[in-house]
Amino acid sequence: MGDLISKLSSYNIFNYLLPGIVYVAIISMITDYNLQQENLLIAGFLYYFIGLVISRIGSLVVEPVAKKCKIVVFSPYKDFVKASASDSKLEILSEANNTYRTLSALFLVILVTKLFEIASERWEVSSSGTSWALLLGLLALFICAFRKQSNYIKERVEHMINDKGEQ
């Protein structure tokens, strides 16, 4: 277990594990839902997965909305890749930026969870219906995340090929 923990990067800790732990802690305080686990191994993996989901919501929902509302403006990805080659601090700044995006998503997901609890009590939503909706939502979320990540990889490969062709 200690070996596994030592392999976690700061990105994994601040963008996946921390948001998952905070989500579980806050949700158990403000709702009737309790996702806390006694088994530390199960807890670690569950909280990491919850944080991963929250991070993907940040990437696929919070970021595009923030861009559309002009809350944030990004440089073109190819410019970021070029600048990263000469400025190592950009990677650290990008990681911090992603952490803020994930924390924004965390509070959005907490709000949605609380609103869902209120709505499900009011309209008596079945746990079976909730389970299916959650499963389909996670499937859609991770298909979209897979697509976005594949596009980043494609862009980076194309950028590297174009740079070598220009030299």
Side-chain angles (χ1 to χ4, degrees):
M1 180 75 164
D3 218 21
L4 185 63
I5 291 172
S6 69
K7 292 184 181 184
L8 287 176
S9 67
S10 62
Y11 187 90
N12 293 130
I13 292 169
F14 291 113
N15 285 288
Y16 301 146
L17 193 56
L18 176 68
I21 292 169
V22 171
Y23 175 80
V24 169
I26 291 175
I27 286 304
S28 65
M29 287 189 289
I30 67 169
T31 71
D32 290 333
Y33 304 133
N34 184 5
L35 299 172
Q36 294 176 341
Q37 302 293 311
E38 296 295 321
N39 181 307
L40 288 180
L41 184 64
I42 292 171
F45 280 106
L46 177 64
Y47 303 161
Y48 185 92
F49 179 73
I50 290 169
L52 176 65
V53 169
I54 291 167
S55 176
R56 294 309 79 209
I57 290 169
S59 176
L60 297 168
V61 177
V62 172
E63 181 179 302
V65 168
K67 282 179 175 178
K68 191 153 189 92
C69 295
K70 304 230 187 283
I71 294 169
V72 296
V73 177
F74 287 0
S75 295
Y77 186 68
K78 66 179 183 158
D79 294 345
F80 173 78
V81 172
K82 279 183 183 175
S84 294
S86 60
D87 184 355
S88 60
K89 193 158 186 153
L90 271 179
E91 291 295 328
I92 296 165
L93 295 170
S94 180
E95 183 177 318
N97 195 51
N98 289 342
T99 300
Y100 299 139
R101 180 190 67 200
T102 299
L103 292 174
S104 299
L106 167 65
F107 295 109
L108 173 66
V109 172
I110 289 170
L111 177 64
V112 168
T113 302
K114 182 62 181 175
L115 292 173
F116 177 80
E117 180 189 45
I118 293 166
S120 64
E121 287 172 358
R122 177 177 241 181
W123 291 296
E124 298 177 17
V125 176
S126 74
S127 62
S128 174
T130 300
S131 297
W132 280 106
L134 182 61
L135 188 59
L136 289 171
L138 288 172
L139 176 63
L141 179 73
F142 282 102
I143 286 173
C144 291
F146 175 52
R147 180 176 181 230
K148 183 176 181 182
Q149 189 68 23
S150 295
N151 285 336
Y152 274 134
I153 293 168
K154 180 179 171 252
E155 272 187 67
R156 192 166 183 118
V157 168
E158 288 171 354
H159 171 72
M160 297 305 285
I161 289 170
N162 290 339
D163 271 1
K164 289 192 192 277
E166 292 174 5
Q167 295 176 0

